[in-house]
Amino acid sequence: MHRDQFLLPPGLVYLDGHSLGPLSHVADRRVRALLRSEWGAQLIRGWTESDWIALPQRVGEKIGRLIGAAPETTLCADSTSVNLYKVLAAALALRPGRTEIVSTSDNFPTDLYIAQGLIDQRAHGHALKLVEAADLAGAIDGNTAAVLLTHVNYKDATLLDMAGITAQAHRAGALAIWDLSHSTGVMPLRLEEWRVDFAVGCGYKYLNGGPGAPGYLMVATQHHANVTQPISGWMGHARPFAFDARYQPAPGVARYLAGTPPVLSMSALDASLDITLGEDIDTIRSASMALSDALIDNIARVCSDPELVLASPRDAALRGSHVSYRHPHGYAIVQALAQRGVIGDFRAPDLMRFGLNPLYNTSLDTECAAQALAEVLASRAWDRPEYLQRNRVT
Ligand SMILES: *Cc1c(COP(=O)(O)O)cnc(C)c1O
């Protein structure tokens, strides 16, 4: 749709936007201008003259529109992991007497680690109850404080029913926290309508904010005044520049800020977001489903290796925007594909993932990727010692 708005190296088939979105021309221009005419020229005055101080709210509102959140409920701040810590702690405080956090055993590890760390630290007898996605219904009960789930599974792209599970959590008196890292930017979301209590997500994947771009959080309006989040830093104070010795949380969602925003990377995210916001999100979703279907069809047509197995749902309506395949030599295959200019990624033990963002991916990408995969499999080009050597980042 907007491939010319991204700086993708010519000839590269980039199917890894679910891990790191590419550099956009607007982000490139914004950061360059910011360096020279804001940081370089304005120095400390940039906080006021370029309104850096309001970036978390400004960028938060843009993301809020993408996820269908109510106005003034979304902030851009910190990493997804840190934001999750803040909102999970707030959720537990809102449900005293309930001791369980329900999640899925295949949830993204950082989500589970954050929950485990918070439980250990609080020592209030909380427990993390992990179940298969299919067993969620039976796991949510009167002892559930919060349901903590990722909307699109990072491994196989399976989509959970956010509206249905949130309603079920509420019927049991529990709160619903959703991680939108693999959803925002590639599909319509209606967090306000679905009555989601808290949400977090990632800025550097489908939102193209750049490596280490800050994440975001959403706190439904009815929870704003009732709790204070645990990282009670000065940016979330009612009057940060009063330099009061005593913490007093800001009204509204602003209390979920902690420290000074990363102006450079938040501005890159801000700039890139306009590309997604300039497109109709239902159109993006239709194009994403068509592209992932095309990839699956093309691979089925040209690849005959019996060890290659589709791990994602075959029905696009049940899938996010990436497609995963199992293969016992998945890691080496992903390396061999990269050598041929087709970039996907690998998740242990045997998953190859190929992400599709209609903003810059085309059906030609799906044909080239399928063809390269067929060649790598047929020639066993993956079977080389250098492809078996695991890098620190996969
Ligand atoms: C990518 C991702 C994260 C990343 O968290 P960071 O704190 O940015 O490292 C968290 N949760 C999910 C579900 C993800 O896919």
Side-chain angles (χ1 to χ4, degrees):
M1 289 173 161
H2 299 288
R3 197 178 176 88
D4 58 343
Q5 297 200 39
F6 292 88
L7 278 95
L8 282 162
L12 193 76
V13 176
Y14 193 69
L15 303 182
D16 214 355
H18 57 283
S19 267
L20 177 67
L23 173 62
S24 67
H25 287 289
V26 273
D28 182 42
R29 283 197 298 270
R30 171 75 70 85
V31 172
R32 284 170 197 273
L34 199 159
L35 286 171
R36 293 303 167 119
S37 34
E38 296 185 19
W39 183 15
Q42 297 172 337
L43 290 137
I44 191 76
R45 290 167 298 184
W47 288 106
T48 305
E49 289 176 10
S50 294
D51 209 17
W52 296 338
I53 197 69
L55 269 171
Q57 278 85 2
R58 247 191 353 258
V59 180
E61 286 307 302
K62 285 189 182 180
I63 296 169
R65 277 159 56 199
L66 268 183
I67 63 177
E72 295 178 24
T73 58
T74 311
L75 286 177
C76 183
D78 302 312
S79 63
T80 308
S81 304
V82 171
N83 287 330
L84 188 58
Y85 182 84
K86 294 186 284 190
V87 303
L88 183 58
L92 295 185
L94 285 167
R95 289 293 178 272
R98 291 180 175 231
T99 58
E100 268 173 7
I101 301 166
V102 173
S103 192
T104 53
S105 37
D106 62 354
N107 199 350
F108 192 82
T110 205
D111 298 48
L112 303 180
Y113 301 161
I114 291 288
Q116 287 160 15
L118 183 63
I119 287 170
D120 291 348
Q121 200 175 37
R122 302 199 127 213
H124 284 168
H126 285 97
L128 181 60
K129 181 150 105 186
L130 298 180
V131 297
E132 299 295 307
D135 301 327
L136 275 169
I140 303 169
D141 58 31
N143 198 23
T144 310
V147 177
L148 165 62
L149 296 169
T150 297
H151 183 222
V152 173
N153 185 279
Y154 78 105
K155 284 183 171 166
D156 62 13
T158 299
L159 201 60
L160 293 181
D161 172 11
M162 201 187 309
I165 297 170
T166 299
Q168 204 206 335
H170 289 167
R171 281 195 298 275
L175 297 166
I177 306 171
W178 288 92
D179 187 330
L180 311 176
S181 290
H182 286 284
S183 313
T184 306
V186 282
M187 63 184 66
L189 297 167
R190 299 203 290 275
L191 265 69
E192 184 183 20
E193 183 184 320
W194 298 338
R195 305 181 58 77
V196 170
D197 298 285
F198 298 92
V200 297
C202 212
Y204 49 80
K205 294 173 178 166
Y206 293 118
L207 299 183
N208 310 307
Y216 50 90
L217 59 84
M218 190 287 307
V219 180
T221 313
Q222 69 269 25
H223 302 311
H224 284 184
N226 303 335
V227 282
T228 302
Q229 59 97 352
I231 309 178
S232 43
W234 71 312
M235 284 293 153
H237 191 278
R239 290 173 308 280
F241 290 91
F243 292 98
D244 232 339
R246 199 177 55 85
Y247 181 71
Q248 193 188 327
V253 74
R255 66 181 55 181
Y256 284 82
L257 293 176
T260 305
V263 173
L264 292 175
S265 56
M266 206 176 286
S267 298
L269 172 59
D270 185 28
S272 282
L273 270 168
D274 289 339
I275 305 175
T276 309
L277 281 165
E279 212 24 92
D280 173 50
I281 195 72
D282 292 309
T283 308
I284 291 179
R285 174 62 173 157
S286 310
S288 148
M289 297 196 324
L291 281 173
S292 58
D293 270 342
L295 182 66
I296 295 171
D297 290 342
N298 288 329
I299 288 177
R301 192 162 43 75
V302 296
C303 298
S304 53
D305 188 325
E307 290 191 302
L308 182 73
V309 177
L310 178 67
S312 298
R314 184 64 193 82
D315 179 356
L318 306 177
R319 253 191 346 250
S321 207
H322 68 273
V323 176
S324 302
Y325 284 87
R326 292 186 193 289
H327 193 289
H329 303 291
Y331 182 78
I333 294 168
V334 166
Q335 305 306 305
L337 284 172
Q339 195 64 39
R340 284 162 176 73
V342 175
I343 311 290
D345 66 9
F346 172 79
R347 286 294 171 263
D350 60 355
L351 271 190
M352 301 185 282
R353 303 189 302 177
F354 304 102
L356 295 147
N357 187 337
L359 291 184
Y360 49 83
N361 287 126
T362 62
S363 61
L364 183 60
D365 287 339
T366 70
E367 287 168 31
C368 294
Q371 199 54 50
L373 180 59
E375 281 164 27
V376 165
L377 291 172
S379 64
R380 293 178 67 89
W382 52 265
D383 195 3
R384 293 165 62 154
E386 67 265 37
Y387 293 154
L388 299 168
Q389 193 72 40
R390 296 248 172 135
N391 292 325
R392 257 185 89 183
V393 176
T394 62

